[in-house]
Amino acid sequence: MTESSFSLDLAAELKAIVGSQYTLMDEDKKQPYCQGFRLGGGNAYAVVRPGSLVEVWQVLKACVKADVIVIMQAANTGLTGGSTPNGTEYDRPIVIISTMRINDIQLIDQGKQIVGLAGSTLFGLEETLKPYGREPHSVIGSSCIGASIVGGICNNSGGALVQRGPAYTEMSLFAQVTSDGELELVNNLGIDLGETPEQVLENLGNQNYQEKDIHFPDKRGSDNEYQQRIRDVDADTPSRFNADARRLFEASGCAGKLAVFAVRIDTFPIPEKYQVFYIGTNDPAVMEKMRRDMLSTFKNLPVSGEYMHRSSYDISKKYGKDSFLVIDKLGTKYIPKMFALKRTVDRWASKFKFMPNKFSDRLMQYISQMFPNHLPKRMEEYRDKYEHHWIVETSNDGVAETKAYLESFFKSNEGDFLECTEREADQALLHRYVTGGALGRYHVMNGKDLGSIMTIDVAFPRNEQDWFEQLPPEIDDKVAVKMYYGHFFCHVMHQNYIMKKGVDAKAVKKQILSSYDARGAEYPAEHNVGHEYIAKPALREFYQKTDPTNSFNAGIGGTSKLKNWQSLDDKHQGCGCK
């Protein structure tokens, strides 16, 4: 669509609202916001970086008036391309609103709850809560790469922490476009902030409210039913997945179909006692027996249980080493800076034809190999002895309960366990959490001899016994590299592959997903549909109800990119152009 088909004054209006410095029109400057962290990308008319909630509202009003598509973007760390444009076939120009300048976090009830503004991050929340002896819903993993609080809520992300479940709240402040095309602000934060949208947003942005203005409605600030749900190990449905209708509510699960200004969520006390156990076995059935025992019989649920197959261990050790070293030596706060530096280096390197693709990855890989082995000796010994590795975190009274169980269990079952030192625990968990990016690095370094990457995150039913994948020969023969890891207590598995050269990855993925359908599995489990998965009917209906004119994040989950949810067939009917 040409610029003349919508308001030629839009760019000038956006610049008047946020300033020319924060209105990006140059293709080179827009590029980091238009490309997904791992998948997806497309073109945007402009990228706007407001500095206040009121500015976001004013930008939204301008965009609705100009009839453009709006993509709300925070940290852009999603793995399925859900916060960027994707390809073409849009019928309107796209404006990306980046919220990362609006990162305030406001405490409620001595930190028992918080209000996170649009660009606030999990890392920032972790730092804010430490003096109060509390911690966020997620404490590592997503927080390592600077993921946003609002982004997590909008995608029902997370759930690795067994006692807390996926990110969820019923208290939020958001804008939506009604069926008649009007922009309206909805304040369900439970805080009295004023009457007009401008008053509400200015008062919240300046924290201009008093204790008497804060109410405690009968609304959830977290999934407080999750412990009961995950303990039901005989249920024939998964414990958590993105399209779970139980947890689709306004901002929660909206995937950018609303413009979310802020969310109010629960926080959690930091455990007084903490212990990590490292478990190794060569029998998947042994792990499943332990999982069922711990969830169904333990008085104190573990904190988390992170799984790694030996293949993931090896790939992560070599190709996730630089990320491990950066986080280990410099801390998680440096990771967003590292990714920003990588993007800058790659952007400049792309201007020179003699420079290789993904130059920053290649450089960091070569440098990382100059450092000695970063993994502890006892863990390395388990790598040689056992195919399956399970990192179980426990806290408070659960420490003694878990230790007693493991000592008794391995007297009569194959495998063994380690009671990790504090340093070993940090290393084991960090090794697991850098796994997600390791396959991409592997592909960068070896891709000329390989096909494309294909990733799946799947939630198996709680009663599934045969959780470890055994691909049929006709599929297995098409795969060059397999990586299996995941969150074992909730049966959420990340099953990542690199195809052999010339193999159609989409066709293989379709075959694998079809087999999951027959087993009652759900996918995606925690990364949301983005532009990688097709939204199932219940999720599509939620999107259409939430955004009836399809003004926000059009095309998500394979849905229509056209205004009012038209199909391409509807658009071209009778015009003779097809």
Side-chain angles (χ1 to χ4, degrees):
M1 178 172 286
T2 63
E3 189 174 277
S4 61
S5 61
F6 70 101
S7 174
L8 292 174
D9 296 328
L10 180 58
E13 193 168 355
L14 296 176
K15 290 176 182 178
I17 296 168
V18 305
S20 297
Q21 179 184 358
Y22 297 112
T23 305
L24 310 182
M25 306 295 295
D26 180 79
E27 294 299 326
D28 195 47
K29 292 180 179 178
K30 289 187 293 183
Q31 193 271 342
Y33 302 89
C34 293
Q35 297 297 316
F37 181 75
R38 187 174 71 184
L39 178 143
N43 297 319
Y45 167 74
V47 175
V48 187
R49 301 182 60 223
S52 71
L53 297 178
V54 173
E55 285 186 0
V56 175
W57 175 254
Q58 292 171 338
V59 169
L60 287 171
K61 288 200 297 183
C63 289
V64 171
K65 181 179 69 175
D67 195 20
V68 300
I69 294 169
V70 172
I71 296 179
M72 299 293 293
Q73 184 184 98
N76 193 18
T77 58
L79 298 181
T80 57
S83 59
T84 63
N86 187 66
T88 56
E89 295 183 340
Y90 295 96
D91 62 344
R92 294 151 290 168
I94 296 170
V95 172
I96 297 173
I97 301 178
S98 172
T99 62
M100 293 306 286
R101 294 177 61 208
I102 312 168
N103 58 6
D104 287 353
I105 294 168
Q106 302 170 7
L107 301 180
I108 293 177
D109 193 16
Q110 293 296 302
K112 292 178 182 176
Q113 289 187 329
I114 66 97
V115 173
L117 301 194
S120 56
T121 65
L122 287 170
F123 173 74
L125 180 54
E126 192 173 354
E127 292 296 297
T128 300
L129 290 174
K130 275 181 183 177
Y132 295 84
R134 301 187 73 84
E135 62 187 11
H137 170 271
S138 300
V139 294
I140 198 171
S142 294
S143 58
C144 284
I145 55 176
S148 73
I149 297 169
V150 168
I153 292 294
C154 290
N155 290 297
N156 290 141
S157 300
L161 300 185
V162 181
Q163 301 164 13
R164 302 176 191 179
Y168 180 74
T169 187
E170 294 169 358
M171 295 174 284
S172 61
L173 174 66
F174 58 87
Q176 65 183 151
V177 177
T178 64
S179 57
D180 57 4
E182 295 296 318
L183 183 70
E184 66 175 17
L185 187 72
V186 179
N187 179 14
N188 285 335
L189 279 177
I191 305 174
D192 295 332
L193 293 165
E195 299 299 325
T196 69
E198 289 79 7
Q199 286 175 340
V200 170
L201 295 169
E202 185 171 357
N203 285 333
L204 180 62
N206 295 326
Q207 203 166 351
N208 184 25
Y209 56 88
Q210 300 176 14
E211 193 170 331
K212 65 180 178 60
D213 299 318
I214 303 172
H215 306 286
F216 292 87
D218 186 20
K219 293 185 175 182
R220 294 184 177 90
S222 61
D223 188 352
N224 58 4
E225 298 174 335
Y226 187 71
Q227 288 195 29
Q228 179 181 352
R229 183 172 176 83
I230 198 171
R231 282 185 179 276
D232 186 2
V233 296
D234 292 316
D236 60 3
T237 56
S239 58
R240 63 180 177 98
F241 56 99
N242 289 131
D244 186 352
R246 297 167 50 256
R247 291 297 176 256
L248 298 176
F249 185 85
E250 295 180 346
S252 294
C254 76
K257 301 302 287 181
L258 296 170
V260 182
F261 291 90
V263 294
R264 178 174 169 181
I265 58 174
D266 296 335
T267 70
F268 302 87
I270 296 174
E272 296 177 5
K273 190 176 182 182
Y274 177 81
Q275 179 63 53
V276 169
F277 298 94
Y278 196 95
I279 298 168
T281 180
N282 290 306
D283 186 352
V286 167
M287 279 189 60
E288 184 59 31
K289 175 69 166 65
M290 285 189 286
R291 171 188 169 272
R292 293 177 64 87
D293 286 349
M294 291 182 189
L295 291 177
S296 61
T297 68
F298 274 28
K299 182 178 180 181
N300 304 281
L301 280 176
V303 174
S304 73
E306 293 301 295
Y307 168 72
M308 288 183 78
H309 185 260
R310 180 186 281 153
S311 62
S312 293
Y313 184 108
D314 292 344
I315 291 173
S316 183
K317 177 181 176 181
K318 183 173 181 178
Y319 295 99
K321 186 176 182 179
D322 58 308
S323 295
F324 182 106
L325 293 173
V326 168
I327 297 171
D328 188 46
K329 304 302 180 186
L330 300 177
T332 56
K333 64 182 179 182
Y334 192 77
I335 290 297
K337 297 177 183 177
M338 185 182 80
F339 281 113
L341 179 61
K342 279 176 84 288
R343 286 194 293 265
T344 300
V345 169
D346 285 337
R347 192 166 71 248
W348 281 101
S350 67
K351 298 177 184 296
F352 301 95
K353 292 183 179 179
F354 64 88
M355 298 290 279
N357 186 37
K358 300 282 187 180
F359 174 74
S360 65
D361 281 283
R362 297 176 189 275
L363 178 63
M364 293 171 71
Q365 183 62 32
Y366 286 127
I367 292 174
S368 71
Q369 299 311 301
M370 298 177 185
F371 289 83
N373 185 7
H374 55 293
L375 299 179
K377 180 181 178 182
R378 292 202 299 171
M379 216 164 90
E380 291 280 74
E381 291 172 350
Y382 265 48
R383 182 265 166 220
D384 293 337
K385 290 173 65 176
Y386 301 115
E387 182 179 0
H388 304 283
H389 299 237
W390 195 19
I391 309 162
V392 177
E393 296 180 85
T394 61
S395 64
N396 298 334
D397 292 342
V399 174
E401 184 177 19
T402 305
K403 183 178 180 180
Y405 169 80
L406 293 174
E407 288 176 339
S408 173
F409 182 86
F410 283 114
K411 287 179 180 178
S412 56
N413 289 277
E414 184 269 338
D416 206 348
F417 77 99
L418 298 173
E419 190 172 359
C420 293
T421 65
E422 185 175 345
R423 176 59 179 158
E424 286 174 330
D426 290 341
Q427 290 170 299
L429 288 166
L430 188 49
H431 183 53
R432 158 65 186 87
Y433 282 115
V434 300
T435 305
L439 191 68
R441 176 66 59 76
Y442 183 104
H443 193 259
V444 168
M445 302 305 296
N446 305 283
K448 64 181 178 63
D449 300 317
L450 298 168
S452 58
I453 293 177
M454 189 262 283
T455 64
I456 296 174
D457 74 295
V458 57
F460 290 112
R462 284 165 280 177
N463 64 354
E464 177 65 75
Q465 298 282 339
D466 298 324
W467 59 272
F468 184 66
E469 182 174 71
Q470 300 289 339
L471 291 172
E474 63 271 19
I475 295 179
D476 199 48
D477 289 344
K478 298 175 182 178
V479 179
V481 180
K482 289 178 281 194
M483 272 185 82
Y484 297 129
Y485 57 95
H487 317 294
F488 191 63
F489 279 120
C490 51
H491 265 176
V492 168
M493 303 301 296
H494 299 293
Q495 312 205 142
N496 298 345
Y497 317 84
I498 301 178
M499 299 294 108
K500 291 179 180 177
K501 208 160 190 175
V503 171
D504 184 346
K506 289 184 178 180
V508 173
K509 186 170 188 173
K510 187 176 181 179
Q511 287 179 279
I512 294 175
L513 293 181
S514 178
S515 72
Y516 293 162
D517 291 336
R519 295 166 64 184
E522 293 281 353
Y523 50 85
E526 62 182 13
H527 292 160
N528 218 341
V529 289
H531 291 290
E532 186 172 11
Y533 294 89
I534 300 299
K536 294 184 177 180
L539 193 57
R540 294 170 71 97
E541 290 173 13
F542 176 66
Y543 291 161
Q544 289 180 312
K545 181 181 177 181
T546 301
D547 181 20
T549 61
N550 205 18
S551 297
F552 292 105
N553 211 9
I556 200 77
T559 59
S560 171
K561 295 180 178 179
L562 308 183
K563 189 173 182 178
N564 296 322
W565 299 91
Q566 293 182 85
S567 70
L568 282 174
D569 288 340
D570 294 335
K571 181 181 178 183
H572 292 293
Q573 188 172 17
C575 71
C577 62
K578 283 192 75 178

